[in-house]
Amino acid sequence: MQILLHVIVGVCKLSFIFPLLNQKQKDHHIQEWSKKLLKIFHIPLRVIGAEKLLSSPHLLVSNHISWLDIHVINAFKPVRFVAKSEVRRWPIFGWMAQQLGTVFIRRDSARHARQVVDQMAEVLKVESICIFPEGTSTSGESVLPFKPNLFESAILAHAPVFPIAIAYRSRSTGLRSDAPAFIGDMGLLESMSNVIASRDIEVHLSLLEPYLTHKSANTDRKALALYCQEAITKTL
């Protein structure tokens, strides 16, 4: 019931309050809503390396485990996301993502990916963006190879790139928790039920050393993707 009420509050804010707010005010509401969501699910957030983050627009690059990842990152620092087009069809959450300025990408279209890169480069001149370059979610046990296409946006915009490592752990053992993993044919409601049933999860968000694209004349998207993949893998 708490979750349903919280989602209804979020929908009402997006519908009636957000059109009247500036970006700073919107970010504050997004952050507070995300923090409250984690609290409802009894998931403490621990951030490591927050002092590394720059105030200028940047590209955040994260491994991907759960639908919770977006809310974890927003609880730390609200940002725009790039998500697979299927997310748009999720009940309520898909609509909310669309209202928050999420950029949706069709994974089966190279032409659409090129358009998204150009769109991201324009956004990165004024706002930060987060991507999940594995292209799918995993159990969190390992990191899949990063797809390099979207990294081109940071090069075009001369934006710094920050790898961030997300890890869900058991509070009682400190070991990796599988409860939040949103994988295979699992539905959103099933995944939410797994998280609710666990009540023993904490999430670690580690901000790693940035790659400053404007300081390297020979940066290419494959090298940038590999740098982020290896940094996150090493941390996990």
Side-chain angles (χ1 to χ4, degrees), residues 40-148:
I40 290 171
F41 280 107
H42 304 282
I43 303 177
L45 169 60
R46 184 179 167 203
V47 180
I48 302 102
E51 71 283 350
K52 295 187 177 78
L53 199 64
L54 302 175
S55 58
S56 58
H58 48 265
L59 182 67
L60 291 175
V61 178
S62 176
N63 60 310
H64 194 21
I65 298 169
S66 173
W67 55 272
L68 275 167
D69 298 346
I70 288 174
H71 306 297
V72 168
I73 293 167
N74 273 337
F76 162 55
K77 183 187 181 299
V79 66
R80 287 181 67 170
F81 287 86
V82 175
K84 58 187 180 181
S85 57
E86 291 91 333
V87 171
R88 198 200 299 258
R89 297 195 293 271
W90 287 1
I92 302 178
F93 282 104
W95 177 84
M96 293 177 77
Q98 195 168 352
Q99 301 309 305
L100 292 171
T102 300
V103 178
F104 295 102
I105 183 169
R106 297 200 306 270
R107 290 184 293 180
D108 59 346
S109 172
R111 181 180 176 184
H112 187 246
R114 180 68 247 180
Q115 292 171 346
V116 168
V117 166
D118 292 338
Q119 183 182 347
M120 287 173 61
E122 286 301 309
V123 172
L124 279 169
K125 293 175 183 177
V126 291
E127 292 182 69
S128 298
I129 298 178
C130 181
I131 62 173
F132 300 109
E134 288 170 290
T136 188
S137 50
T138 72
S139 67
E141 186 175 5
S142 59
V143 179
L144 297 177
F146 281 3
K147 294 175 170 56

Side-chain angles (χ1 to χ4, degrees), residues 21-34:
L21 303 179
N22 61 38
Q23 192 58 50
K24 186 176 181 181
Q25 292 168 326
K26 289 178 181 179
D27 286 347
H28 173 73
H29 281 281
I30 293 168
Q31 186 173 41
E32 291 305 308
W33 191 90
S34 297

Side-chain angles (χ1 to χ4, degrees), residues 192-211:
M192 292 175 74
S193 297
N194 291 341
V195 174
I196 292 169
S198 175
R199 301 180 73 87
D200 184 43
I201 305 166
E202 67 177 10
V203 58
H204 294 194
L205 185 66
S206 301
L207 194 71
L208 310 177
E209 290 298 325
Y211 192 113

